[in-house]
Amino acid sequence: MSRVAYVDGQYLPHRSAAVHIEDRGYQFADGVYEVLAVTGGRLVDEESHLIRLAKSLSELRIAAPMSNSALRIVMREAIRRNRVREGILYLQVTRGAARREHAFPKAAQPVLVVTSRHTRRTDPQIAERGIAVVTIPDIRWQRCDIKSIALLPNVLGKQLARDAGAFEAWQVDREGFVTEGTSTNAWIVAADRTVMTRRADTAILNGVTRLAVLEIIARDGYRFVERAFSVAEAKAASEAFLTSTTVDLLPVVRIDDAPVGTGMPGPLARKLREGYLAHVTEAA
Ligand code: PMP
C-alpha cells in the first residue's frame, strides 16, 4: 500500500511529497511539531497534544494553520488513508515559505504537514530488561518547553547514547540537575518510594506521557514530588524510568556506569508502566 502525506492543503503520495526550498522550517528550523500515538486507529491524548501545539505556536507567534476541528479531521484522514491501526501521527507547522530573511515575513502562510505510519510498540522484552542511559551536558536553548523542530542537540545527544550502547542520554544542566532525555522525560524513585520528575519549567518539554503518568500517580496515591534531581541522586535512586509517546514508560536500570537499585526494573516502574498501557488501551 502506498503511503499518503498531507502537505499544505493536499493529500500527496508520500514518496513525492515536498515543501518549498525556502520553507522557514528548512532554512531556520522555524516551526513546531507533535508526535501522537495511534492505537486501534485512534489518537491517544489528542486534546493534550492540541493544547501543547497551540502553546508552541503562540510562543513563536506562528498562526494556527487551521482550526482545531479542521485539524482533527486532517489527522483522522491521514490515519485513514494510511490505514494505520497501531502507529504514530507526525504533525509539523512551519512559519511558511518566504525569501530568506531572519525577521518574520509579512506574507508567509503557515505550512502544515501531517504523516502517519504503522510502528510496533516498544518490544516488551526491552521493558522487562530495562534500559541504560548516559548523562551528557544539556547544550540546548532556554525554551525547551516549546516543541520546536530545532532538534540538533537532541540528535547529537541520541547519537552519543547510541555510540555508548545506551538507549537514551539524560541531559544535565549547569547545576548538575537532570533536565530530560533527548526525546523522553526523566524520572526517579527515591529510597523512601517518592517518585520524582522535574517541574515543567522552561528547561524541559512538558511531555503528554508525563502528564498522563502524573495523573496515574495522583489517582493511585503514590508519594510524589515535582522537583529537579541531580545525577548523584539518580544514581543513588532505587528506581528510574523514562516516558514518551513513542516508548511509553521504560525502566532505566543503568546510568553511566552505575546500576540503578538492583540493576533490574523496579516494582513502581512496572506498576506505572501497566497503568500507562491501560490508559493507552482506553483510547482504542
Ligand atoms: N522531552 C523531549 C525533548 C521530547 O522530544 C519528547 C518527545 N516529544 C518528550 C520529552 C516526551 O514528550 P511526550 O510524552 O509528549 O511524547
Side-chain angles (χ1 to χ4, degrees):
M1 193 206 71
S2 54
R3 293 182 61 201
V4 173
Y6 175 90
V7 183
D8 201 17
Q10 288 181 293
Y11 293 93
L12 302 171
H14 190 274
R15 201 174 340 107
S16 53
V19 295
H20 195 271
I21 55 165
E22 285 199 305
D23 187 283
R24 290 177 61 95
Y26 184 52
Q27 291 186 328
F28 295 111
D30 189 357
V32 301
Y33 76 107
E34 284 293 328
V35 179
L36 291 82
V38 179
T39 189
R42 305 232 184 167
L43 291 163
V44 180
D45 290 332
E46 181 179 9
E47 195 58 36
S48 300
H49 284 282
L50 288 180
I51 291 170
R52 188 171 65 187
L53 174 67
K55 186 200 162 206
S56 297
L57 287 170
S58 97
E59 291 289 348
L60 298 185
R61 294 193 278 153
I62 298 175
M66 57 179 68
S67 67
N68 271 355
S69 51
L71 189 52
R72 286 177 202 273
I73 292 170
V74 170
M75 291 196 288
R76 275 160 188 69
E77 195 57 18
I79 292 168
R80 192 185 71 76
R81 290 193 188 221
N82 289 289
R83 301 203 185 105
V84 178
R85 300 288 303 163
E86 301 300 315
I88 56 157
L89 180 132
Y90 177 81
L91 177 168
Q92 174 175 309
V93 182
T94 65
R95 202 181 302 278
R99 193 176 66 197
R100 189 180 182 284
E101 191 194 335
H102 287 63
F104 298 170
K106 283 202 178 65
Q109 293 294 317
V111 170
L112 170 67
V113 169
V114 180
T115 58
S116 185
R117 68 181 172 89
H118 169 81
T119 55
R120 278 178 223 286
R121 295 213 87 77
T122 309
D123 184 351
Q125 281 191 352
I126 295 181
E128 281 301 312
R129 279 197 303 268
I131 52 129
V133 303
V134 289
T135 57
I136 59 169
D138 194 335
I139 58 167
R140 300 175 302 164
W141 72 332
Q142 290 168 27
R143 291 306 308 274
C144 295
D145 54 320
I146 300 170
K147 198 161 169 59
S148 138
I149 57 174
L151 289 171
L152 205 40
N154 310 57
V155 167
L156 295 174
K158 189 75 92 186
Q159 189 57 40
L160 275 176
R162 290 284 183 276
D163 293 344
F167 185 90
E168 176 63 298
W170 277 5
Q171 302 169 101
V172 180
D173 69 17
R174 289 194 189 150
E175 283 76 47
F177 292 99
V178 173
T179 53
E180 60 182 335
T182 63
S183 63
T184 55
N185 287 115
W187 307 67
I188 60 169
V189 182
D192 70 353
R193 318 297 306 142
T194 303
V195 185
M196 256 181 242
T197 197
R198 193 177 178 115
R199 193 164 55 82
D201 52 19
T202 52
I204 68 163
L205 184 77
N206 194 358
V208 168
T209 319
R210 175 186 182 280
L211 290 172
V213 171
L214 284 179
E215 273 186 24
I216 293 165
I217 286 171
R219 182 196 67 196
D220 295 349
Y222 295 112
R223 207 174 321 154
F224 173 72
V225 58
E226 261 180 297
R227 75 151 170 90
F229 52 83
S230 67
V231 173
E233 281 179 296
K235 287 182 178 171
S238 60
E239 299 184 36
F241 59 96
L242 51 78
T243 55
S244 83
T245 297
T246 47
V247 302
D248 306 317
L249 185 158
L250 290 178
V252 172
V253 295
R254 176 167 289 275
I255 300 171
D256 297 327
D257 287 328
V260 178
T262 61
M264 294 288 290
L268 247 167
R270 281 177 198 275
K271 282 224 167 61
L272 291 173
R273 178 176 160 80
E274 278 167 28
Y276 181 70
L277 293 181
H279 165 77
V280 169
T281 311
E282 277 165 28

